[in-house]
Amino acid sequence: MDITGIPFGTTDWSTIEPTEHKGVTGTAYWRTRQFGNIRVRMVEYTAGYLADHWCTKGHILFCLKGELNTELEDGRQFSLKPGMSYQVADQAEPHRSSTSSGATLFVVD
């Protein structure tokens, strides 16, 4: 990631209008800011959320609240609790998210 041309600024995430993204089950609500080629999101998954696709986009993801389950296409599974993060490169390892109880994440990609 090359962070250039972005002046200092702050973000009040409560003022960013969420967009709705349906999963196979449940819903993800994204509050998104774009800084050059860097997308930054506050993502809230409802209880029972299951992604409707295998994602190949790279992310740095930090769990703020709840518990997030991430399954890799090769079958490995990981669980994130508040204070934990994961990172994955573009086109590296297809992954999808789910949560039984709901989760709030901070994502940079």
Side-chain angles (χ1 to χ4, degrees), residues 61-99:
L61 184 150
F62 182 75
C63 183
L64 296 164
K65 185 169 105 175
E67 185 171 354
L68 180 75
N69 301 307
T70 301
E71 178 184 6
L72 302 186
E73 196 173 39
D74 67 11
R76 290 180 289 158
Q77 296 187 26
F78 302 89
S79 179
L80 294 183
K81 295 181 179 169
M84 295 176 71
S85 65
Y86 78 66
Q87 56 285 327
V88 63
D90 287 334
Q91 310 303 318
E93 296 170 284
H95 51 281
R96 68 177 172 185
S97 297
S98 66
T99 177

Side-chain angles (χ1 to χ4, degrees), residues 1-9 33-38:
M1 179 180 340
D2 188 19
I3 302 175
T4 60
I6 302 171
F8 179 85
R33 296 285 315 269
Q34 192 74 37
F35 303 101
N37 64 349
I38 300 169

